[in-house]
Amino acid sequence: MYELNICHLYPDLLNLYGDRGNIMALKMRCVWRGINVNVSNISIGDKFDAEAYDIIFLGGGQDYEQEIIQDDLLNQKGEEIRNAVKNDKVFLAICGGYQLLGSYYKTWDGKEIHFLNALDLWTIGGKERMIGNFVFECDFLKNDHYDGKIVGFENHSGRTYLGPGVKPLGKIIKGYGNNGEDGFEGAIYKNVYCSYSHGSLLPKNPALADHLISVALKQKYKDFVSLSGIDDEFENLAHDTTIKRIMG
Ligand code: GLN
């Protein structure tokens, strides 16, 4: 029987707009297929051993929470996180958590917060927030039955820019995404997936949830080939109706 260990990093501080929903979606989509899942909550002061986990999750946080965890993140867990990224560990990082994996965040009022430097990306705060439901398109999810469209909810003042080695997660169809300028959303580097889309990301986009589960299982089990299909009637309804509402 397959088993996945998921780590929710700083669940008490990085969990905006139901980001925990992403963990629930990963867990239930495994459980429905008979795959065992353990979820561990690791926060400030807790020992973090990345090797113990197959998927590491970082949710969103306002500038305030990002400052609170900065010391623990950089000085206690930083090296472990950077090594895990290098060693192809699967990560999902949302909004504030996405920004934390980059090199720094310059807030709109001029404060510069140093971050992990695990991915070549950086964030500059603007006065205007980028808020709303948005739609983007992921080429790596496209197939004969699916157009690769992802629907989500964003709320950030940070504008994120990607260095040359980091690819965007998708192309914006409606909304702002990384910075409201270049037409891209999120980031992919090795097995690290980052997005500005909050807690409804995986519940409303089962293809992306299954992609992450598959990558994690492939990393762990040599004999893993593909996931069995499950009934996505409600997930697809949520996905399709939200896209229709946004696109008009
Ligand atoms: N503090 C960050 C910003 O506003 C992230 C906010 C969030 O995670 N929603 O850009």
Side-chain angles (χ1 to χ4, degrees):
M1 192 186 190
Y2 293 145
E3 181 170 70
L4 286 181
N5 296 315
I6 301 177
C7 175
H8 190 170
L9 273 178
Y10 306 106
D12 46 346
L13 291 155
L14 299 182
N15 181 31
L16 274 179
Y17 312 111
D19 283 332
R20 202 166 58 90
N22 290 313
I23 302 251
M24 290 159 94
L26 288 172
K27 180 173 176 174
M28 291 320 294
R29 298 186 70 76
C30 285
V31 169
W32 289 329
R33 294 169 161 119
I35 300 165
N36 244 356
V37 174
N38 307 301
V39 179
S40 305
N41 293 324
I42 299 288
S43 194
I44 291 182
D46 296 336
K47 192 173 161 1
F48 172 61
D49 170 17
E51 263 319 293
Y53 308 109
D54 306 301
I55 301 179
I56 297 167
F57 177 75
L58 279 156
Q62 303 294 3
D63 303 2
Y64 176 68
E65 284 93 13
Q66 288 177 299
E67 261 189 279
I68 292 182
I69 66 164
Q70 189 194 20
D71 178 52
D72 185 83
L73 180 80
L74 297 189
N75 300 318
Q76 305 302 323
K77 303 185 171 69
E79 201 53 29
E80 194 68 15
I81 293 176
R82 277 188 294 273
N83 284 336
V85 169
K86 259 187 228 141
N87 296 331
D88 300 319
K89 191 67 72 187
V90 178
F91 280 77
L92 175 63
I94 306 298
C95 198
Y98 166 22
Q99 299 171 350
L100 290 170
L101 290 174
S103 49
Y104 66 88
Y105 177 34
K106 203 182 225 172
T107 60
W108 65 272
D109 52 357
K111 238 183 276 159
E112 191 164 317
I113 314 179
H114 285 277
F115 285 157
L116 284 166
N117 213 1
L119 268 64
D120 183 14
L121 56 91
W122 59 94
T123 303
I124 316 275
K127 259 203 161 142
E128 216 180 290
R129 296 194 71 83
M130 293 173 270
I131 308 177
N133 289 314
F134 69 139
V135 181
F136 56 98
E137 185 177 41
C138 295
D139 284 342
F140 65 95
L141 292 176
K142 283 185 188 166
N143 60 37
D144 292 348
H145 321 282
Y146 181 50
D147 60 8
K149 281 200 182 74
I150 297 285
V151 59
F153 170 75
E154 61 181 330
N155 183 355
H156 51 112
S157 70
R159 290 159 166 71
T160 297
Y161 301 89
L162 310 181
V166 181
K167 281 189 301 205
L169 177 69
K171 257 190 283 190
I172 285 289
I173 294 175
K174 192 109 185 190
Y176 301 94
N178 280 343
N179 47 51
E181 296 158 20
D182 62 17
F184 291 112
E185 151 59 14
I188 303 182
Y189 176 71
K190 289 180 167 261
N191 287 331
V192 182
Y193 293 77
C194 304
S195 175
Y196 267 111
S197 173
H198 280 282
S200 57
L201 177 66
L202 299 186
K204 281 188 181 170
N205 302 282
L208 182 58
D210 283 356
H211 179 80
L212 295 174
I213 295 169
S214 299
V215 176
L217 286 171
K218 259 182 223 155
Q219 284 287 109
K220 190 169 188 178
Y221 299 102
K222 293 220 160 32
D223 68 344
F224 173 77
V225 183
S226 63
L227 289 174
S228 53
I230 47 178
D231 181 2
D232 282 329
E233 185 191 345
F234 292 117
E235 288 79 357
N236 289 338
L237 191 66
H239 176 270
D240 297 348
T241 32
T242 319
I243 290 200
K244 254 187 226 139
R245 213 176 52 224
I246 299 170
M247 300 306 291

Short mmCIF file of all heavy atoms in Angstrom, two decimals, residues 16-17 60-63 66 94-97 99 105 123 129 155-158 196 198, ligand 1:
data_model
loop_
_atom_site.label_atom_id
_atom_site.label_comp_id
_atom_site.label_asym_id
_atom_site.label_seq_id
_atom_site.Cartn_x
_atom_site.Cartn_y
_atom_site.Cartn_z
N LEU A 16 -3.95 31.46 5.12
CA LEU A 16 -4.92 32.48 4.74
C LEU A 16 -5.99 31.89 3.82
O LEU A 16 -5.71 30.97 3.06
CB LEU A 16 -4.21 33.60 3.98
CG LEU A 16 -3.58 34.73 4.78
CD1 LEU A 16 -2.93 35.70 3.81
CD2 LEU A 16 -4.61 35.45 5.64
N TYR A 17 -7.18 32.47 3.87
CA TYR A 17 -8.25 32.11 2.92
C TYR A 17 -8.38 30.61 2.71
O TYR A 17 -8.43 30.13 1.58
CB TYR A 17 -8.04 32.81 1.57
CG TYR A 17 -7.74 34.26 1.71
CD1 TYR A 17 -6.49 34.77 1.41
CD2 TYR A 17 -8.72 35.14 2.20
CE1 TYR A 17 -6.20 36.11 1.58
CE2 TYR A 17 -8.43 36.48 2.37
CZ TYR A 17 -7.18 36.95 2.06
OH TYR A 17 -6.89 38.27 2.24
N GLY A 60 -0.35 30.86 2.70
CA GLY A 60 -0.16 32.31 2.60
C GLY A 60 -0.11 32.98 3.95
O GLY A 60 -0.59 32.43 4.95
N GLY A 61 0.49 34.15 4.00
CA GLY A 61 0.51 34.93 5.24
C GLY A 61 0.67 36.39 4.89
O GLY A 61 1.30 36.73 3.89
N GLN A 62 0.07 37.24 5.70
CA GLN A 62 0.25 38.68 5.47
C GLN A 62 1.68 39.06 5.83
O GLN A 62 2.39 38.28 6.48
CB GLN A 62 -0.73 39.48 6.33
CG GLN A 62 -2.18 39.12 6.11
CD GLN A 62 -2.69 39.48 4.73
OE1 GLN A 62 -1.93 39.96 3.87
NE2 GLN A 62 -3.95 39.22 4.47
N ASP A 63 2.07 40.29 5.46
CA ASP A 63 3.42 40.77 5.75
C ASP A 63 3.75 40.54 7.23
O ASP A 63 4.86 40.15 7.58
CB ASP A 63 3.54 42.27 5.45
CG ASP A 63 3.18 42.60 4.01
OD1 ASP A 63 2.81 41.67 3.27
OD2 ASP A 63 3.26 43.78 3.64
N GLN A 66 4.60 36.96 8.01
CA GLN A 66 5.87 36.64 7.34
C GLN A 66 7.04 37.14 8.17
O GLN A 66 8.07 36.49 8.26
CB GLN A 66 5.89 37.26 5.93
CG GLN A 66 4.95 36.55 4.97
CD GLN A 66 4.93 37.22 3.61
OE1 GLN A 66 4.56 38.39 3.48
NE2 GLN A 66 5.32 36.51 2.58
N ILE A 94 1.94 28.68 -1.38
CA ILE A 94 0.89 29.61 -1.79
C ILE A 94 1.20 31.03 -1.31
O ILE A 94 1.51 31.24 -0.14
CB ILE A 94 -0.47 29.17 -1.18
CG1 ILE A 94 -0.80 27.71 -1.53
CG2 ILE A 94 -1.59 30.11 -1.62
CD1 ILE A 94 -0.95 27.40 -2.99
N CYS A 95 1.05 31.98 -2.21
CA CYS A 95 1.08 33.41 -1.91
C CYS A 95 2.24 33.79 -0.97
O CYS A 95 3.39 33.74 -1.39
CB CYS A 95 -0.27 33.85 -1.37
SG CYS A 95 -0.51 35.63 -1.47
N GLY A 96 1.96 34.12 0.31
CA GLY A 96 3.04 34.47 1.22
C GLY A 96 4.09 33.38 1.32
O GLY A 96 5.29 33.65 1.41
N GLY A 97 3.66 32.12 1.29
CA GLY A 97 4.59 30.98 1.33
C GLY A 97 5.45 30.90 0.08
O GLY A 97 6.63 30.55 0.13
N GLN A 99 6.25 33.57 -1.74
CA GLN A 99 7.22 34.67 -1.62
C GLN A 99 8.39 34.29 -0.72
O GLN A 99 9.54 34.65 -0.99
CB GLN A 99 6.51 35.91 -1.06
CG GLN A 99 5.39 36.42 -1.94
CD GLN A 99 4.57 37.51 -1.27
OE1 GLN A 99 4.71 37.77 -0.08
NE2 GLN A 99 3.70 38.15 -2.04
N TYR A 105 11.64 40.11 0.09
CA TYR A 105 10.36 40.79 -0.12
C TYR A 105 10.52 42.23 0.35
O TYR A 105 10.81 42.47 1.51
CB TYR A 105 9.27 40.07 0.69
CG TYR A 105 7.90 40.70 0.64
CD1 TYR A 105 7.44 41.35 -0.51
CD2 TYR A 105 7.04 40.65 1.73
CE1 TYR A 105 6.18 41.92 -0.57
CE2 TYR A 105 5.77 41.22 1.68
CZ TYR A 105 5.34 41.85 0.54
OH TYR A 105 4.10 42.41 0.48
N THR A 123 10.22 39.55 -4.59
CA THR A 123 8.90 40.18 -4.53
C THR A 123 9.02 41.63 -4.09
O THR A 123 9.73 41.94 -3.13
CB THR A 123 8.00 39.39 -3.56
OG1 THR A 123 7.93 38.03 -3.99
CG2 THR A 123 6.60 39.96 -3.50
N ARG A 129 -3.48 46.52 -3.98
CA ARG A 129 -3.55 45.06 -3.84
C ARG A 129 -4.16 44.44 -5.08
O ARG A 129 -5.00 45.04 -5.74
CB ARG A 129 -4.39 44.69 -2.60
CG ARG A 129 -3.78 45.16 -1.31
CD ARG A 129 -4.46 44.49 -0.13
NE ARG A 129 -4.12 43.09 -0.03
CZ ARG A 129 -3.02 42.62 0.55
NH1 ARG A 129 -2.14 43.46 1.06
NH2 ARG A 129 -2.79 41.34 0.62
N ASN A 155 -5.03 37.47 -3.50
CA ASN A 155 -5.11 38.70 -2.72
C ASN A 155 -3.70 39.01 -2.20
O ASN A 155 -3.28 38.47 -1.19
CB ASN A 155 -6.07 38.53 -1.55
CG ASN A 155 -6.23 39.83 -0.77
OD1 ASN A 155 -5.54 40.83 -1.04
ND2 ASN A 155 -7.11 39.83 0.22
N HIS A 156 -2.99 39.85 -2.92
CA HIS A 156 -1.61 40.15 -2.53
C HIS A 156 -1.22 41.55 -2.96
O HIS A 156 -1.78 42.09 -3.92
CB HIS A 156 -0.64 39.13 -3.15
CG HIS A 156 -0.79 38.94 -4.64
ND1 HIS A 156 0.16 39.34 -5.55
CD2 HIS A 156 -1.78 38.38 -5.38
CE1 HIS A 156 -0.24 39.03 -6.77
NE2 HIS A 156 -1.42 38.45 -6.70
N SER A 157 -0.25 42.13 -2.23
CA SER A 157 0.27 43.42 -2.68
C SER A 157 1.65 43.19 -3.30
O SER A 157 2.15 44.00 -4.06
CB SER A 157 0.37 44.40 -1.52
OG SER A 157 1.41 44.00 -0.65
N GLY A 158 2.24 42.03 -2.97
CA GLY A 158 3.56 41.72 -3.53
C GLY A 158 3.49 41.39 -5.00
O GLY A 158 2.58 40.70 -5.46
N TYR A 196 -0.14 32.06 -6.52
CA TYR A 196 -0.81 33.09 -5.73
C TYR A 196 -2.23 32.68 -5.36
O TYR A 196 -2.92 33.38 -4.63
CB TYR A 196 -0.81 34.44 -6.48
CG TYR A 196 0.38 35.27 -6.07
CD1 TYR A 196 1.42 35.53 -6.95
CD2 TYR A 196 0.47 35.77 -4.79
CE1 TYR A 196 2.52 36.27 -6.55
CE2 TYR A 196 1.56 36.51 -4.37
CZ TYR A 196 2.58 36.75 -5.25
OH TYR A 196 3.66 37.48 -4.85
N HIS A 198 -5.16 30.83 -3.46
CA HIS A 198 -5.28 30.36 -2.07
C HIS A 198 -5.97 29.01 -1.92
O HIS A 198 -5.86 28.13 -2.78
CB HIS A 198 -5.95 31.45 -1.24
CG HIS A 198 -4.98 32.52 -0.85
ND1 HIS A 198 -4.08 32.33 0.17
CD2 HIS A 198 -4.74 33.74 -1.34
CE1 HIS A 198 -3.33 33.41 0.29
NE2 HIS A 198 -3.71 34.29 -0.62
N1 GLN B 1 2.01 39.51 2.37
C1 GLN B 1 1.93 39.15 1.03
C2 GLN B 1 1.35 40.18 0.10
O1 GLN B 1 0.41 40.89 0.45
C3 GLN B 1 1.19 37.84 0.90
C4 GLN B 1 -0.27 37.93 1.19
C5 GLN B 1 -0.98 36.63 1.09
O2 GLN B 1 -0.41 35.55 1.37
N2 GLN B 1 -2.25 36.70 0.73
O3 GLN B 1 1.82 40.28 -1.00
#
